[in-house]
Each structure stands twice: as structure tokens, then as C-alpha cells.
Amino acid sequence: MDDITTRCIAIIAKSKNMSPEAITPDSTFDQLGMDSLDKINVSFEVEDTFEIAIPDESMNSLRTVQDMVDGILRLQQQKTHNEALAEESK
Amino acid sequence: MNRVVVTGLGCITPIGSTIDQFTTSLFTGTSGIGPLRPFPEAPSGDPLNPNLRFSRYAEVTDFDPTPFLTSGQIVSSDRSGQFAILAARQAVEHSGLMQAHSPESIAIITGCSTGGRGSEELETGRLYNQNARVHPLTVIRTMSSAGASYIATEHGITGPVLNISTACSSGTHAIGLAFQMVRAGMATAAIAGGHEAPLTLGFLRAWDSMRVVSPTQCRPFSADRDGMTLGEGSASLILESLESAQARNATIYAEIVGFGMSADAHHITQPKAEGAADAIRRALKDAGASLEEVGYINAHGTGTQVNDAVEATAIHQVFGDYAPHIPVSSTKALHGHSIGATGAIEALATVLALHHGQLPVNAGVTEIDPALKLDVILGSFRSATPQLAISNSLAFGGLNAVLALRSYVA
């Protein structure tokens, strides 16, 4: 598993007080029993860990751990792209 | 008007996190006061030196909610709310009331003064010192009514649910108002109590600055008393009408027969004997009791010079020549002063005293203060079967609440 996936699983495992081994990229948030509070808490931790800002509507559209990993990758790429544009415009 | 009885008990306290443990500690005089925990968050950088004048408090040691609460409950609640959920759960299970009452006819009244103090300090400390983001569940964790909401949610209770914040009288006001609601028929049963988790560095330092915390250890009514000892915890009582308790053959621990409230209207910290005396008189009048029926006073007894002297004066004002003949104890030398929870913990102690026919010891006294002229229970518990007991709470700001309870004899 890649680093982002491993760290996401660790965040969810900590929040849900469960073993990381019980979580796979295919695990759905429903299967993991994540309610709205868990999602708020996990998104806060993810934002801190990966230094990204998750748009309000995003968390509710995610279904699996892999969806979350893909979203983080997209936000990181977008952030890098935006920073490069800002650098060029200086 | 219904007669109101206590049919369920629960607690998380420094002297026990089950009723059996609490009862044993109460009657053996085992104190939960111990050394302060390390404070890695102390600005001094020295976790063992939080720069306080005192070094002891009454903590619920080794508290771990993870086996008992869901991850959603844990992540969205402060330690204080967690105490509330678990004490209420014990009381509800202990009483078996949910099978006998419809959810909309049950009331919940909690007493909590400081809300989610630990969560508030953690988040604001990080914000001010590190410009850190504030956790999105901080609002939920810090509301003082969160405990009441969680109890309602866990048990599906949809009747009147509220929290009362009257500083050190919160728990007593909560139980007293729940008593009035069940007596008046506004609810057929109630979960009432108090919870508090105020042992945070900021709160301890604030109390330290007031110079009312004992540099040694709380010893109420002792001639050499030098202050209070802070504590934390929760207690929960199930109240219901005598009729419903009898109909379902519930164990009855005591009957609540009166409640008195008053305000000193005098000073934000300095207590006034007349205010406390009024609350005691109103509780006894409400109970329809004579002075001579009172066979035990569970005192507010913080262990400060001023509180104990003023409370003794109030007792003398109410009871006159009979005052020196009433057994008195403060149980704060055992469980500490847990602010909004303390009245509920002391009501629990009073219920157990009546149920077991044993009056708890007033621990820690080196030499009784002769000026107070009270029969303070020293050494060990005293076997007695008082007809009636009162439990006093006298809060900062002069907000007084007194419960009157009777032994229940079938």
C-alpha cells in the first residue's frame, strides 16, 4: 500500500478505535460504521496530515477509503499546480 | 402530588466508578485525594511543576471510556460528558426504569458548571499559542448541556431535558428540580445528577489564584482547615413516583421529601449565613418536617475557613439549641470538590447513608473547630437511622440549594 493509503487508514483506525488491519482501500465508510461526526473528525485529521483543504461537499460524496485517497491526491496535485502558477505570476 | 423515591444510582468518582466501590470508600473513609498528574502542557516546561500552591486533587484515575462508548461519542464529547453518560447508564440499568416508563414522560436534568473545560483549554491554547486550527467538534465538546443530550440520545428519552449551571450547587439544583417535576406529575420519572471534569491546568491555576485551595488537604470543620481540594466526577440518581416504584417492585433507596433554594444576594464569593439558613428552612418546610426530625446533615463543608464557619452559623440559626445534637459530615475530604457534580455526589452519599443506616465520616480532621459547636462525625462512620437528612450546597455567588430526604420504610 502506498503512503497516503497507509496514513488514511491509520487516521480512520484511530478515530474509530479499531485495528488498521481491519481496514482496506475497498472498505466503505458505511462498513466502517462512520457517522457524520466520524467524517468531520477524519476530514479534520486528513487536512492537518496532508496540508490540504477539503471542500465542504466532498466528504459526503466519498464512499470508500480509496475514494478518499484519490481525493487527497487530486487536492495535492491541485495545490502544487496552484503554487506553481502563483510562482510564475510573480 | 406524588411521593418521589430514588430507585437507581450511578457514579464515576475519585472514590469509585461503581456504586459498590463508592459505598465501600464512603463508609471506610477512603479518600480519593492524591498527587497532581504530570502537566506536560505547563508553560514552565516542567511537567511536574505546574506552578501551583497546591499539589493534591481528587482525580478519577485511569479513566478510559473506550470500552464503553462508541467512537462517535468519544470523539465528540469532553471527559465531563463522558462521565455523565456512564454514571447515567449505571443508574438507568440499575433501576430498570426504561421498561416501566414511556420515553416522553421521563425528564433528564444535569448539573454542570464548566462544560467541556479540558477541550476548551486544549483548543484555545493551541489557537493562541500556535495559531492552530480549532477542532470542528469543539463546540459540541464544550457545551455544558452535552451530557444531558447524550443521556437522552442513548436511552431514547424525549421528555424535558436540560442542564443547570449554578456553580457548586448545580447538581443539587438539578436533583431538586427533577424532584419537583416528578412530584408535580410533569414527568413520571427522572434521571438527575451532576458531572464535571474541571481538573485542567487553566482551571486549577484560576482556583490557585483565588487562594482558597488547600496547600495540604481538605479537612472540613477542622480547626486548622486551610482550604478546599478540587475534584471531578459524576453521580446520577433515578427518581420516580412511589406508586410506579411499588408497582414494578423496584428497590427504593430513599425518599426525597423536600427541596429549598435561596440566594444570598450579598457577594460573588463571600457566603452569607442567612441565605444558607433560608434554603435549609425552605427544604424542611417543603418536606413538612420538624427540626427534631433531622438526624443527619451532609454539609457543603468545603474546608475553607469562611465556608465552614458560615455554614455552621446557618445550621445554628435554623436549629437553635438542637443544632449541636445533629450529626454532621462533609464528604469532600473523600471525593474532593467537583463543582457542578459535587452536590449530586453528596446527594448520592446521603441516599446511601439513609439506605445503609450509616452516616459517613468527616475525614481528615486533626482537631475539630470548637467555635463551630457541631457534632461532626469523626473517626469512622456512625451507625444511625435518621428520620430525615439534608444535603446542603452553597455555591459561589450565593446560590443555595438544600435537599431533604427520608429513609424509605416499606
Side-chain angles (χ1 to χ4, degrees), chain A residues 14-17 33 35 37-38 40-41 43-49 52-53, chain B residues 66-67 69 71-76 123 126 133-137 140-141 150:
Chain A
K14 187 177 168 210
S15 178
K16 289 298 299 173
N17 189 32
D35 65 13
L37 294 181
D38 292 320
I40 291 172
N41 189 50
S43 60
F44 181 76
E45 297 293 335
V46 164
E47 285 183 328
D48 258 6
T49 304
I52 53 172
Chain B
T66 47
L69 301 179
S71 58
Q73 284 175 317
I74 290 171
V75 78
S76 62
E123 295 299 325
R126 280 161 30 93
R133 299 189 312 146
V134 176
H135 193 281
L137 299 176
I140 313 300
R141 291 172 180 166
Y150 267 120

Side-chain angles (χ1 to χ4, degrees), chain B residues 97-119:
Chain B
L97 95 157
M98 294 310 294
Q99 287 79 39
H101 296 266
S102 59
E104 69 271 17
S105 71
I106 301 173
I108 300 169
I109 308 186
T110 52
C112 175
S113 177
T114 68
R117 182 83 195 196
S119 303

Side-chain angles (χ1 to χ4, degrees), chain B residues 337-355:
Chain B
H337 188 344
S338 48
I339 318 299
T342 205
I345 293 171
E346 289 155 28
L348 170 63
T350 308
V351 166
L352 290 169
L354 291 168
H355 183 64

